[in-house]
Amino acid sequence: MISNSIDARSSSTLAGSHRNTRLMIDKALPQLDLAHQSEVMGLSARPLSARRLSIDIAGLHRCLVDFVRCSYLGLDNHPEIIEGAIEAIKDHRALHWSCARTRMSFASLTLLESDLADLFQARVITYSSVLAANMGALPLLASGHLTAGNKPVLVFDRFAHATLAFHKATLAAETTVVTIDHNDISMLEQICKQNPVAAYICDGVYSMGGAAPVDGLLSLQQKYGLFLYIDDAHGISLFGRQGDGFVRSQIAGDLGERTIIAASLGKGFGASGGLLMLGSQQQEKLFRRFAIAHAFSASLNLAAVGAARASARLHRTAELLRRQISLQERIKGFDRLIKTDQQGSPLPIRTIRIGNEASAISAARALVDRGFFTSAIFFPTVPEGQAGLRLCLTAGHTPEEIEGLCNALHDIVPLCEGH
Amino acid sequence: MISNSIDARSSSTLAGSHRNTRLMIDKALPQLDLAHQSEVMGLSARPLSARRLSIDIAGLHRCLVDFVRCSYLGLDNHPEIIEGAIEAIKDHRALHWSCARTRMSFASLTLLESDLADLFQARVITYSSVLAANMGALPLLASGHLTAGNKPVLVFDRFAHATLAFHKATLAAETTVVTIDHNDISMLEQICKQNPVAAYICDGVYSMGGAAPVDGLLSLQQKYGLFLYIDDAHGISLFGRQGDGFVRSQIAGDLGERTIIAASLGKGFGASGGLLMLGSQQQEKLFRRFAIAHAFSASLNLAAVGAARASARLHRTAELLRRQISLQERIKGFDRLIKTDQQGSPLPIRTIRIGNEASAISAARALVDRGFFTSAIFFPTVPEGQAGLRLCLTAGHTPEEIEGLCNALHDIVPLCEGH
């Protein structure tokens, strides 16, 4: 059924060459060791107020302003969300049930899912993590059951999140899998033309900066029936009147039968876990029966359910918009002081290019010594030789903290070898 | 490096035929629909005391005695564990951090992992679920990094849990993958003889009854250096002076460099999440850098951390042994009244063979009407035509509840068509 005439193959990763864990480890290990030795990774910390952390560094508790966590709206320590988590446990005198969700769920989890469905105007199923949500969804997509019985050719964006790309070989055992260059809409259109059914798997907001061209993807969907599976873990809550996120807020009306959005209940949303937004009852039924994480793993625990219900309530108040606006102000404040590839974008992730891996790690360490915790990014998170820093800006940062970070970056990054 | 002379292939599943999601769905859907219509699956419930639940059935709240959840020691509503979950959230004024564990963890998670390491006499890393733990571990095993640089042939038990078997095609992109019959030690020995390095992937306690032949596996390990990856999700806490579980309690001294045990922090343990027990510092380092769920997904939330720390404390008290003994008494009480394939086993899972799928579902429904919630099991959980009921016996059941279930089974099961 799948055409063999995929010209995209020349630029694609094919079944059988999807993974080489050994090579990846051998390449990445020296840098990871250096990052651990430099005490910029693998740290233990306690939360202080707002975006401040107490982190153990060389046996001392250092108070750092954190730009690593992805709590973009600063909700992860919101008192109502914390209280929601505690109350759910108290109310049920339970935290977790060890049984597959296909059998039975906490009644409050059922209520949470209806509430999220109403909030995001989609059918919603929750999972213990986005990793679990993605793992459950992709084989169902490959099976053809979401595309009128026709197995789609699965087209991965080269930068699709690791928890998506992980499954390429598994999916290649079921249908044709192709990887195309990042945001290569014209290659995607070629594939749509050459195949009866195609599905595109990508991120909404990319964890290392940038976003999917949602408009372009929707027009390919309209033209060719392209199925879209978009992981919007980093986009949820930041956009839309009720925080439905970067991708959902660009889709007017129903999701329809050819779009699935994965998202996080952590990150912008401020609770814990993952979810899928689906467009039809039939899809929901299929996922509730067959998604592996639904049938063979555990659900959100009650603390996560209670926190998510509290956050859903907040998403219906004016506080959501206030925090969305604060985030945009912090992002603009940063962009006024530091130029990055993402300048001017309303998305909260900024990356600083450094190049050399050791230099990026040493820059992250110098920032720690100035009171700022950032992510050194290097292979396999980004390609070799493209190491740098990742900064997650949030509504919870003060303007002074953003300015302090920018001043430190001005001092430190030009001094890094290789910059 | 991997020999091609695997005679086991005739009885094995090979790369390219590891998955057929479409066929699985088409075969299983009618029975799953029937189970949902019969209201024995997909239910919403609230916990009552001990093993009792209030379940919505046909719009009414029915009080049922539950034999579905796997809280074998009845710890999932232990007041100290519930209190531990609440206190951890209160203490940190946080529930969850959205960042990869490779960057940073809650200090209390670090403390939990040291505590579990001491409890189980192994290096311990926790994960948000056993699904996530398994997904992270298997590619590292395939890479050869755990077996002195030699990629092992990966041998799956045919009944290995779905969250292990899911990854066969992914692993087949890295090394040779073979599936052998359940507990087929002599086939496994043949494979050990014919290949420089082999790794066996199986469950400790199987979720549908029975267990791995740990003694036999350990002697193959001694003779041929066989690597063992054993998912003991259902065996943890039930055996061993400190509850180290079915598999770990059969291994004297250190785990060594050729054994990894996955386990649940839910089920017998009574908290929420998953873990790996590792035997060496080098393995721990590798997992903390490269396991996908460690590098690209979230950790246990703080409620789970607090609950697990409280349960670890309980595992050091006389209460653990008392509950282990109660469980054995309940199992013996059941075995005196009902004959099953598992009769006489100290493991808490009993299955009732019925055969026909519709009959198994109707038996589960008849039990609901008598006040007992059990799991109807059928394809793909068990092979076609081997449907039945699964009963999870726990220390939290009263002798009267066990007797009531047995009486109901005597009345109901012989009446089921096809039995």
Side-chain angles (χ1 to χ4, degrees), chain A residues 19 21-22 26 33 42-45 70 97-98 102-103 105 107 110 145 149 151 170 174 267 285 289 376, chain B residues 19 21-22 26 33 42-45 69-70 98 102-103 105 107 110 145 149 151 170 174 267 285 289 376:
Chain A
R19 294 187 65 81
T21 304
R22 184 205 299 239
D26 291 342
D33 280 349
L43 300 171
S44 263
C70 304
W97 281 347
S98 281
T102 42
R103 304 277 172 200
S105 307
T110 312
H145 271 271
K151 289 190 177 191
T170 293
E174 309 233 30
K267 298 192 167 62
K285 182 175 143 177
R289 280 156 178 68
Chain B
R19 294 187 64 83
T21 303
R22 184 205 296 238
D26 292 342
D33 280 349
L43 301 171
S44 263
R69 283 173 294 166
C70 305
S98 281
T102 43
R103 303 279 172 201
S105 308
T110 311
H145 272 272
K151 290 190 178 191
T170 293
E174 308 233 31
K267 299 193 166 60
K285 181 175 145 178
R289 280 155 177 70

Side-chain angles (χ1 to χ4, degrees), chain A residues 17-338:
Chain A
S17 61
H18 291 305
R19 294 187 65 81
N20 191 333
T21 304
R22 184 205 299 239
L23 189 66
M24 185 271 286
I25 292 174
D26 291 342
K27 273 187 181 178
L29 198 54
Q31 287 81 257
L32 277 161
D33 280 349
L34 181 63
H36 279 77
Q37 283 153 23
S38 306
E39 296 185 286
V40 299
M41 288 187 83
L43 300 171
S44 263
R46 280 185 64 91
L48 302 173
S49 63
R51 293 300 97 199
R52 291 180 179 260
L53 294 172
S54 166
I55 306 195
D56 288 343
I57 301 207
L60 297 173
H61 295 295
R62 295 281 297 274
C63 170
L64 301 182
V65 181
D66 173 47
F67 291 90
V68 171
R69 283 173 295 167
C70 304
S71 184
Y72 302 115
L73 297 181
L75 287 174
D76 70 356
N77 49 9
H78 192 290
E80 290 177 32
I81 293 177
I82 302 308
E83 206 48 46
I86 292 171
E87 284 307 312
I89 305 174
K90 278 190 182 167
D91 180 44
H92 292 74
R93 301 307 301 163
L95 171 64
H96 169 76
W97 281 347
S98 281
C99 65
R101 282 210 62 197
T102 42
R103 304 277 172 200
M104 169 175 70
S105 307
F106 286 113
S108 60
L109 180 53
T110 312
L111 294 174
L112 169 65
E113 289 177 344
S114 329
D115 193 13
L116 294 172
D118 178 70
L119 195 69
F120 299 145
Q121 291 296 297
R123 289 166 183 274
V124 171
I125 308 179
T126 60
Y127 296 87
S128 60
S129 62
V130 188
L131 171 145
N134 287 336
M135 182 178 169
L138 293 179
L140 298 182
L141 183 53
S143 77
H145 271 271
L146 307 178
T147 41
N150 301 308
K151 289 190 177 191
V153 52
L154 298 180
V155 187
F156 279 80
D157 186 285
R158 190 175 299 287
F159 290 176
H161 192 252
T163 60
L164 295 164
F166 183 94
H167 301 296
K168 284 179 188 174
T170 293
L171 301 167
E174 309 233 30
T175 187
T176 305
V177 174
V178 184
T179 302
I180 64 172
D181 283 343
H182 180 51
N183 284 347
D184 189 346
I185 283 272
S186 74
M187 177 61 81
L188 183 58
E189 180 155 19
Q190 264 191 56
I191 295 171
C192 288
K193 282 182 184 162
Q194 289 163 354
N195 292 274
V197 199
Y200 182 55
I201 294 146
C202 66
D203 294 5
V205 173
Y206 282 85
S207 59
M208 296 298 139
V214 176
D215 266 358
L217 295 175
L218 290 172
S219 81
L220 291 186
Q221 179 172 77
Q222 211 160 20
K223 221 161 151 187
Y224 306 100
L226 176 66
F227 198 105
L228 298 172
Y229 184 92
I230 311 184
D231 181 339
D232 203 26
H234 291 271
I236 192 79
S237 301
L238 312 191
F239 305 95
R241 194 175 57 83
Q242 295 196 127
D244 50 2
F246 179 75
V247 178
R248 181 71 186 96
S249 67
Q250 294 183 62
I251 299 173
D254 289 345
L255 270 189
E257 302 229 337
R258 297 253 158 160
T259 303
I260 292 178
I261 300 170
S264 177
L265 286 168
K267 298 192 167 62
F269 197 81
S272 158
L275 65 85
L276 293 177
M277 301 182 201
L278 307 166
S280 79
Q281 188 179 11
Q282 198 211 339
Q283 286 176 4
E284 182 180 0
K285 182 175 143 177
L286 202 67
F287 277 73
R288 288 193 185 274
R289 280 156 178 68
F290 294 106
I292 185 163
H294 212 82
F296 295 103
S297 190
S299 69
L300 291 183
N301 65 35
L302 264 179
V305 172
R309 291 185 73 187
S311 180
R313 281 192 295 277
L314 277 172
H315 276 65
R316 290 192 169 86
T317 68
E319 183 166 352
L320 182 75
L321 181 62
R322 280 203 301 274
R323 284 175 182 261
Q324 287 175 338
I325 290 170
S326 290
L327 173 61
Q328 293 307 319
E329 288 171 356
R330 297 300 165 272
I331 292 170
K332 282 178 192 143
F334 180 91
D335 283 352
R336 274 193 294 273
L337 296 171
I338 300 270

Side-chain angles (χ1 to χ4, degrees), chain B residues 334-350:
Chain B
F334 180 91
D335 282 352
R336 273 194 293 273
L337 297 170
I338 300 271
K339 282 201 173 25
T340 63
D341 291 347
Q342 296 87 23
Q343 189 155 42
S345 156
L347 305 172
I349 296 167
R350 293 293 179 268

Side-chain angles (χ1 to χ4, degrees), chain B residues 258-269:
Chain B
R258 296 254 159 158
T259 305
I260 292 178
I261 300 170
S264 177
L265 286 168
K267 299 193 166 60
F269 198 81

Side-chain angles (χ1 to χ4, degrees), chain B residues 61-75:
Chain B
H61 295 297
R62 296 280 298 274
C63 170
L64 301 182
V65 181
D66 174 48
F67 290 90
V68 170
R69 283 173 294 166
C70 305
S71 184
Y72 301 116
L73 296 181
L75 287 174

